[in-house]
Protein backbone atom coordinates (compact mmCIF):
# COMPACT_ATOMS: atom_id res chain seq x y z
CA UNK A 1 0.00 0.00 0.00
CA UNK A 2 2.84 2.40 0.53
CA UNK A 3 3.43 2.14 -3.08
CA UNK A 4 -0.20 2.99 -3.91
CA UNK A 5 -0.18 5.89 -1.47
CA UNK A 6 2.92 7.33 -3.00
CA UNK A 7 1.40 6.95 -6.46
CA UNK A 8 -1.67 8.71 -5.24
CA UNK A 9 0.39 11.56 -3.78
CA UNK A 10 2.46 11.83 -6.91
CA UNK A 11 -0.71 11.95 -9.01
CA UNK A 12 -2.21 14.69 -6.83
CA UNK A 13 1.07 16.61 -6.82
CA UNK A 14 1.34 16.30 -10.62
CA UNK A 15 -2.28 17.41 -10.99
CA UNK A 16 -1.62 20.45 -8.82
CA UNK A 17 1.50 21.33 -10.76
CA UNK A 18 -0.28 20.90 -14.10
CA UNK A 19 -3.35 22.79 -12.92
CA UNK A 20 -1.10 25.54 -11.55
CA UNK A 21 0.46 25.93 -14.95
CA UNK A 22 -2.92 26.06 -16.58
CA UNK A 23 -4.41 28.47 -14.06
CA UNK A 24 -4.67 32.11 -15.12
CA UNK A 25 -1.78 34.27 -14.13
CA UNK A 26 -2.15 37.20 -11.89
CA UNK A 27 -3.97 40.14 -13.45
CA UNK A 28 -0.91 41.55 -15.15
CA UNK A 29 -1.87 44.11 -17.81
CA UNK A 30 -1.28 43.08 -21.33
CA UNK A 31 1.31 45.27 -22.98
CA UNK A 32 -0.40 47.83 -25.22
CA UNK A 33 0.94 48.21 -28.71
CA UNK A 34 3.07 51.33 -28.89
CA UNK A 35 1.34 54.21 -30.60
CA UNK A 36 3.86 55.92 -32.80
CA UNK A 37 3.51 59.58 -33.61
CA UNK A 38 2.07 60.37 -36.99
CA UNK A 39 4.82 60.94 -39.44
CA UNK A 40 4.44 63.66 -42.01
CA UNK A 41 5.62 62.95 -45.48
CA UNK A 42 6.57 66.54 -46.19
CA UNK A 43 9.95 67.06 -47.77
CA UNK A 44 12.63 68.51 -45.56
CA UNK A 45 13.19 72.07 -46.77
CA UNK A 46 16.90 71.86 -46.10
CA UNK A 47 17.28 68.68 -48.12
CA UNK A 48 15.08 69.66 -51.04
CA UNK A 49 16.89 70.19 -54.31
CA UNK A 50 14.60 73.03 -55.26
CA UNK A 51 15.77 76.43 -56.38
CA UNK A 52 12.65 78.17 -55.18
CA UNK A 53 13.71 81.61 -56.38
CA UNK A 54 13.45 80.35 -59.95
CA UNK A 55 9.87 79.26 -59.30
CA UNK A 56 8.79 82.70 -58.12
CA UNK A 57 7.78 84.72 -61.12
CA UNK A 58 7.00 88.30 -60.23
CA UNK A 59 5.04 90.17 -62.83
CA UNK A 60 5.89 93.79 -62.22
CA UNK A 61 3.68 96.41 -63.78
CA UNK A 62 3.97 100.18 -63.89
CA UNK A 63 1.92 100.53 -60.72
CA UNK A 64 4.46 98.41 -58.81
CA UNK A 65 7.27 100.49 -60.24
CA UNK A 66 5.41 103.65 -59.27
CA UNK A 67 5.05 102.45 -55.70
CA UNK A 68 8.74 101.59 -55.61
CA UNK A 69 9.64 105.06 -56.92
CA UNK A 70 7.25 106.56 -54.39
CA UNK A 71 8.99 104.67 -51.59
CA UNK A 72 12.29 106.05 -52.88
CA UNK A 73 10.66 109.51 -52.82
CA UNK A 74 11.26 109.98 -56.52
CA UNK A 75 7.89 111.65 -57.11
CA UNK A 76 8.49 112.63 -60.73
CA UNK A 77 9.38 109.09 -61.74
CA UNK A 78 6.46 107.71 -59.69
CA UNK A 79 4.04 110.03 -61.48
CA UNK A 80 5.45 108.89 -64.83
CA UNK A 81 4.97 105.22 -63.90
CA UNK A 82 1.41 105.86 -62.70
CA UNK A 83 0.61 107.65 -65.97
CA UNK A 84 1.94 104.69 -67.93
CA UNK A 85 -0.12 102.37 -65.74
CA UNK A 86 -3.21 104.39 -66.62
CA UNK A 87 -2.52 103.67 -70.31
CA UNK A 88 -3.26 99.96 -69.82
CA UNK A 89 -6.93 100.98 -70.23
CA UNK A 90 -8.45 98.63 -67.64
CA UNK A 91 -10.82 100.23 -65.15
CA UNK A 92 -8.77 98.83 -62.27
CA UNK A 93 -5.59 100.36 -63.71
CA UNK A 94 -7.39 103.69 -64.09
CA UNK A 95 -8.38 103.73 -60.40
CA UNK A 96 -4.92 102.60 -59.27
CA UNK A 97 -3.24 105.26 -61.40
CA UNK A 98 -5.58 107.98 -60.11
CA UNK A 99 -4.86 107.03 -56.51
CA UNK A 100 -1.13 106.87 -57.18
CA UNK A 101 -1.07 110.26 -58.91
CA UNK A 102 -3.15 111.86 -56.16
CA UNK A 103 -0.79 110.47 -53.55
CA UNK A 104 2.27 111.66 -55.48
CA UNK A 105 0.73 115.13 -55.78
CA UNK A 106 0.00 115.27 -52.07
CA UNK A 107 3.44 114.02 -51.08
CA UNK A 108 5.33 116.29 -53.45
CA UNK A 109 3.58 119.27 -51.83
CA UNK A 110 4.11 118.04 -48.26
CA UNK A 111 7.04 119.57 -46.42
CA UNK A 112 7.77 116.38 -44.48
CA UNK A 113 8.08 114.45 -47.73
CA UNK A 114 11.39 116.12 -48.51
CA UNK A 115 12.99 114.69 -45.38
CA UNK A 116 15.43 111.89 -46.17
CA UNK A 117 14.46 108.61 -44.60
CA UNK A 118 16.27 106.34 -47.02
CA UNK A 119 18.97 105.96 -44.41
CA UNK A 120 16.46 104.49 -41.95
CA UNK A 121 16.86 101.07 -43.59
CA UNK A 122 13.18 100.14 -43.76
CA UNK A 123 11.42 98.00 -46.30
CA UNK A 124 9.69 99.69 -49.26
CA UNK A 125 6.30 98.80 -47.81
CA UNK A 126 7.23 100.43 -44.51
CA UNK A 127 8.49 103.48 -46.40
CA UNK A 128 5.13 103.81 -48.16
CA UNK A 129 3.44 103.54 -44.77
CA UNK A 130 5.71 106.31 -43.47
CA UNK A 131 4.67 108.41 -46.44
CA UNK A 132 1.00 107.66 -45.77
CA UNK A 133 1.42 108.83 -42.18
CA UNK A 134 3.16 111.95 -43.45
CA UNK A 135 0.22 112.52 -45.79
CA UNK A 136 -2.20 112.22 -42.88
CA UNK A 137 -0.13 114.72 -40.89
CA UNK A 138 -0.05 117.07 -43.86
CA UNK A 139 -3.81 116.85 -44.29
CA UNK A 140 -4.36 117.41 -40.57
CA UNK A 141 -2.17 120.51 -40.77
CA UNK A 142 -4.16 121.77 -43.73
CA UNK A 143 -7.39 121.09 -41.88
CA UNK A 144 -6.19 123.07 -38.85
CA UNK A 145 -5.17 125.95 -41.11
CA UNK A 146 -8.55 125.89 -42.84
CA UNK A 147 -10.34 125.82 -39.47
CA UNK A 148 -8.36 128.88 -38.34
CA UNK A 149 -9.11 130.65 -41.64
CA UNK A 150 -12.79 129.73 -41.34
CA UNK A 151 -12.91 131.15 -37.82
CA UNK A 152 -11.23 134.40 -38.95
CA UNK A 153 -13.61 134.75 -41.91
CA UNK A 154 -16.62 134.07 -39.66
CA UNK A 155 -15.50 136.77 -37.22
CA UNK A 156 -14.94 139.19 -40.09
CA UNK A 157 -18.37 138.40 -41.50
CA UNK A 158 -19.99 139.09 -38.14
CA UNK A 159 -18.20 142.47 -37.97
CA UNK A 160 -19.34 143.35 -41.49
CA UNK A 161 -22.92 142.38 -40.73
CA UNK A 162 -22.84 144.59 -37.61
CA UNK A 163 -21.40 147.47 -39.66
CA UNK A 164 -24.08 147.02 -42.33
CA UNK A 165 -26.79 146.98 -39.66
CA UNK A 166 -25.47 150.24 -38.14
CA UNK A 167 -25.23 151.78 -41.59
CA UNK A 168 -28.84 150.80 -42.33
CA UNK A 169 -29.98 152.21 -39.00
CA UNK A 170 -28.14 155.47 -39.72
CA UNK A 171 -29.50 155.68 -43.27
CA UNK A 172 -33.10 154.93 -42.24
CA UNK A 173 -32.85 157.18 -39.19
CA UNK A 174 -32.38 160.28 -41.36
Amino acid sequence: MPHTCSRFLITIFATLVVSGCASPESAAPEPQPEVSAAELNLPDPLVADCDCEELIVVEENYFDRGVRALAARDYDQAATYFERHRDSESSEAQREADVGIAFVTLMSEASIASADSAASGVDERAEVMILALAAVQTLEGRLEALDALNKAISEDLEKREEALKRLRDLTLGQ
Side-chain angles (χ1 to χ4, degrees), residues 113-127:
S114 62
D116 186 25
S117 73
S120 63
V122 295
D123 183 65
E124 286 178 345
R125 296 170 296 172
E127 185 64 32

Side-chain angles (χ1 to χ4, degrees), residues 129-148:
M129 292 170 79
I130 291 168
L131 290 174
L133 289 174
V136 168
Q137 290 174 341
T138 300
L139 292 175
E140 286 176 345
R142 288 182 183 178
L143 186 60
E144 289 174 5
L146 288 174
D147 284 343

